[in-house]
Amino acid sequence: MASDEDRAQVVQLVFGGMAALTVRAATRLKVVELLGDKERAAADVAEEAGTQHQAMTRLLRALTGLGLLQECAPDTFAVTSAGALLDPGRPDSLVSLVDMFTEPAMSRAWERLDESVRTGEAAFDAIFGKDFFSHLRDEPELSARFNAAMSQGTAATAAALPEAFDFGRFTTVTDVGGGDGTLLAAVLRAYPSLNGVVYDTDEGLAQAPVTLRRDGLEERCSLVAGDFFDAVPEGGDLYLLKSILHDWSDDRARTILGHIREALPPEGRVLILEAVLPEVVDPARPGLTYLTDLNMLVNLGGRERTRADFEFLCHSAGLTIVDVSPLPAPNPFCLIEARRA
């Protein structure tokens, strides 16, 4: 017979989707904003949110059970430190990340995970009649939300990266697929002599001017629109790729790296920031990376990779990996430095 602990583990996993949608409801109803930094009665929160009182109490208690709130007295609640990350006014807010990863456009393909496992193909394309990024291109509002989510998801890496890698030996960093510039802006702030280029599609760059203006980097960083499956801009001596290769199959990723290899000067470097899977699953390691791997499968057709996978991929594109080092925990990414073979 199974132990109580084993049964509880399976049941908790089954209810995980409900937990995610509970958090989505909290952000849509602005629960954390309404609670603020005070203890508040559920009736007051319900009135301001325009909801039914008892139903709001039930939502607040569910959020308490998830560790995002605390019930200080019967029907009176306050926000925990984890719950405070659902306040969109905080610089470290995760509201956009919650919004995007509970968005039906992101979650519907998961309903066909078994089909993707059978075929090895993204379920997203069959559901929406186009690939994920084509869908974003046709939905500007959704694309903007996606960009905001990627920016929030990059913030912790952006904070750690400048101290984890010596950018001072380079003159121009080109962030390939750099989105709104969150990552490159952090590097440029830490290295005042460095110049930068953010390279992405028009829709990927849509919010980048705001980032550069905010950080006063308009004179040191240019925005270049294009398609990395066609080419990348020349002139950089360091090409940066964060969470780009895992979006794509080996063939597509090889094409991206091949274009970077063509533009790379003899002494240039490529810096890849990705999760690097161990050769054998480590039970002590959080399973989130493996869920991300499945998300790449169902929505994009990409994959997470081991070090051996990256070695093979880079070699096939004319590059050689010279170093792989992890960012400080709990950041899940590694720095993979490569040069021309």
Side-chain angles (χ1 to χ4, degrees):
M1 292 291 292
S3 68
D4 290 343
E5 290 79 9
D6 290 341
R7 292 175 60 85
Q9 180 180 0
V10 173
V11 170
Q12 184 177 13
L13 291 172
V14 170
F15 278 78
M18 298 181 191
L21 293 176
T22 297
V23 178
R24 179 177 177 84
T27 60
R28 291 167 71 88
L29 292 170
K30 304 185 185 305
V31 165
V32 169
E33 294 165 81
L34 292 174
L35 284 169
D37 57 0
K38 304 183 293 295
E39 297 177 9
R40 297 201 67 193
D44 295 336
V45 176
E47 181 178 2
E48 293 186 28
T51 68
Q52 199 266 345
H53 173 200
Q54 185 186 74
M56 175 58 78
T57 298
R58 293 162 70 180
L59 174 62
L60 297 180
R61 285 180 171 158
L63 293 167
T64 298
L66 294 174
L68 301 175
L69 304 180
Q70 58 180 330
E71 189 168 14
C72 311
D75 217 24
T76 301
F77 298 85
V79 179
T80 65
S81 57
L85 295 173
L86 302 183
D87 179 356
R90 288 176 57 113
D92 56 352
S93 172
L94 294 177
V95 169
S96 293
L97 199 70
V98 170
D99 172 58
M100 194 65 213
F101 279 87
T102 57
E103 158 67 40
M106 182 74 79
S107 62
R108 280 186 60 194
W110 275 87
E111 299 171 9
R112 300 192 189 181
L113 173 60
D114 56 336
E115 182 177 328
S116 285
V117 171
R118 288 191 189 98
T119 66
E121 302 294 333
F124 185 98
D125 301 32
I127 295 171
F128 291 93
K130 63 188 77 171
D131 67 77
F132 181 80
F133 288 108
S134 294
H135 184 70
L136 288 184
R137 185 173 59 247
D138 295 338
E139 300 284 344
E141 188 272 337
L142 182 64
S143 180
R145 289 163 56 200
F146 176 80
N147 290 346
M150 294 304 98
S151 177
Q152 289 187 351
T154 296
T157 304
L161 180 60
E163 293 186 5
F165 186 79
D166 179 17
F167 289 90
R169 50 196 168 118
F170 303 100
T171 59
T172 301
V173 180
T174 301
D175 190 353
V176 178
D180 78 340
T182 293
L183 186 67
L184 186 54
V187 172
L188 295 179
R189 288 197 305 267
Y191 291 84
S193 64
L194 200 60
N195 292 314
V197 176
V198 182
Y199 181 62
D200 210 321
T201 60
D202 285 322
E203 56 272 18
L205 292 172
Q207 285 73 44
V210 176
T211 302
L212 298 187
R213 284 196 300 269
R214 180 194 65 202
D215 294 333
L217 296 172
E218 301 100 319
E219 299 300 319
R220 293 171 50 210
C221 186
S222 59
L223 305 178
V224 179
D227 184 344
F228 48 46
F229 291 117
D230 293 333
V232 301
E234 296 183 349
D237 53 352
L238 178 65
Y239 285 81
L240 182 62
L241 287 157
K242 180 197 172 290
S243 301
I244 299 299
L245 299 182
H246 78 161
D247 289 345
W248 307 102
S249 67
D250 283 356
D251 285 345
R252 301 281 270 172
R254 187 179 300 112
T255 297
I256 298 169
L257 290 173
H259 289 313
I260 292 174
R261 168 64 176 81
E262 292 173 5
L264 196 66
E267 300 305 317
R269 291 289 188 269
V270 182
L271 185 62
I272 301 165
L273 278 74
E274 298 260 359
V276 177
L277 299 177
E279 294 296 333
V280 177
V281 175
D282 180 358
R285 181 173 179 159
L288 180 61
T289 300
Y290 296 97
L291 293 178
T292 301
D293 185 35
L294 291 179
N295 189 54
M296 295 301 104
L297 171 62
V298 298
N299 277 312
L300 298 167
R303 57 186 289 233
E304 304 293 351
R305 294 176 171 89
T306 64
R307 174 166 182 163
D309 291 329
F310 281 111
E311 295 271 8
F312 173 78
L313 192 60
C314 286
H315 177 74
S316 66
L319 298 168
T320 297
I321 291 177
V322 296
D323 189 46
V324 178
S325 58
L327 283 172
N331 199 297
F333 295 108
C334 286
L335 304 178
I336 306 167
E337 183 181 350
R339 59 170 173 79
R340 294 170 63 171

